[in-house]
Amino acid sequence: AQSVTQLDSQVPVFEEAPVELRCNYSSSVSVYLFWYVQYPNQGLQLLLKYLSGSTLVESINGFEAEFNKSQTSFHLRKPSVHISDTAEYFCAVSEYSWGKLQFGAGTQVVVTP
Amino acid sequence: GAGVSQTPSNKVTEKGKYVELRCDPISGHTALYWYRQSLGQGPEFLIYFQGTGAADDSGLPNDRFFAVRPEGSVSTLKIQRTERGDSAVYLCASSFEGSGNSPLHFGNGTRLTVT
């Protein structure tokens, strides 16, 4: 069985400041890792994923996450946030590369001017 | 193009009643998933269809929950004898082929409230 812990339920951050969202997981098998984002009044969208290869993965809008196997973490970072990054972010893990995901409880990011 | 469509967007029902929630996936997507999201929690996997068949239904909480996808496109999640604990947002997602290279596309969900 797997579990996912998102250590912060809410992260307030000022515009153009950096942000880090923490995600730790536990699993007895190798896993695939995902970050999903839910903007206000929209459905969940895939932000980035780690399936294999380079442990540092990036999204098209400036987010990056690093898979750390020894620390069982997959923290999400962005060096400079925009107002439009206000959303809820979910970390997810799966022992399959397809869609049976175990989600964390989510981190609400609120970006203010 | 059209995304994943879920109807109704909101459903209020009385305890003990039967409800059906509908999901229209993106055209051509063979894989379809149902998740449930309770307040303050992340989505919880319920069931996965590959084509018409349920490839994994291990997340269905009990036998009051059932889902079908008879023609490999639209899916219906059916809940019998609803209980207040069934109140949640029910999410549907589809993907092109159910592999890691095919991201899940989620609908906006159906908010079910059992009174």
Side-chain angles (χ1 to χ4, degrees):
Chain A
Q2 305 136 13
S3 67
V4 180
T5 302
Q6 292 185 244
L7 296 165
D8 304 295
S9 60
Q10 189 166 35
V11 174
V13 58
F14 289 112
E15 191 175 19
E16 298 183 4
V19 71
E20 178 181 77
L21 309 184
R22 295 176 292 170
C23 173
N24 288 88
Y25 69 92
S26 66
S27 177
S28 57
V29 299
S30 296
V31 295
Y32 304 96
L33 296 153
F34 306 82
W35 277 98
Y36 278 79
V37 59
Q38 186 168 28
Y39 298 105
N41 302 314
Q42 295 186 29
L44 282 161
Q45 303 172 33
L46 179 66
L47 187 60
L48 45 75
K49 62 184 178 183
Y50 170 78
L51 300 181
S52 64
S54 172
T55 57
L56 183 65
V57 291
E58 299 177 353
S59 72
I60 59 173
N61 58 353
F63 283 92
E64 64 177 29
E66 185 160 19
F67 169 51
N68 188 319
K69 188 174 181 179
S70 63
Q71 297 186 7
T72 59
S73 68
F74 192 54
H75 301 331
L76 181 70
R77 303 180 181 92
K78 188 170 185 179
S80 176
V81 296
H82 302 293
I83 297 289
S84 59
D85 292 323
T86 293
E88 188 152 25
Y89 293 79
F90 293 92
C91 181
V93 61
S94 179
E95 61 183 80
Y96 313 95
S97 63
W98 51 271
K100 185 176 182 181
L101 304 174
Q102 177 79 35
F103 283 89
T107 298
Q108 181 68 46
V109 172
V110 180
V111 182
T112 54
Chain B
V4 176
S5 175
Q6 292 188 244
T7 53
S9 56
N10 281 284
K11 176 71 177 177
V12 180
T13 190
E14 293 179 349
K15 179 176 177 295
K17 299 290 189 182
Y18 167 83
V19 296
E20 290 188 352
L21 312 180
R22 177 186 168 102
C23 173
D24 279 274
I26 293 172
S27 178
H29 281 193
T30 61
L32 185 145
Y33 314 82
W34 283 99
Y35 280 80
R36 176 171 72 173
Q37 187 173 12
S38 300
L39 193 63
Q41 299 181 24
E44 172 192 20
F45 172 81
L46 296 178
I47 187 169
Y48 158 55
F49 287 91
Q50 184 58 256
T52 61
D56 186 335
D57 65 357
S58 61
L60 294 177
N62 52 59
D63 62 5
R64 296 187 297 105
F65 288 74
F66 190 70
V68 295
R69 194 186 186 198
E71 298 179 356
S73 178
V74 170
S75 177
T76 305
L77 179 66
K78 308 180 181 194
I79 310 174
Q80 299 177 321
R81 305 183 303 280
T82 52
E83 300 177 356
R84 293 195 178 87
D86 298 335
S87 296
V89 177
Y90 288 81
L91 300 171
C92 179
S94 69
S95 69
F96 181 64
E97 59 180 3
S99 77
N101 292 319
S102 301
L104 301 189
H105 297 262
F106 280 86
N108 287 349
T110 294
R111 183 176 299 277
L112 176 66
T113 303
V114 182
T115 61

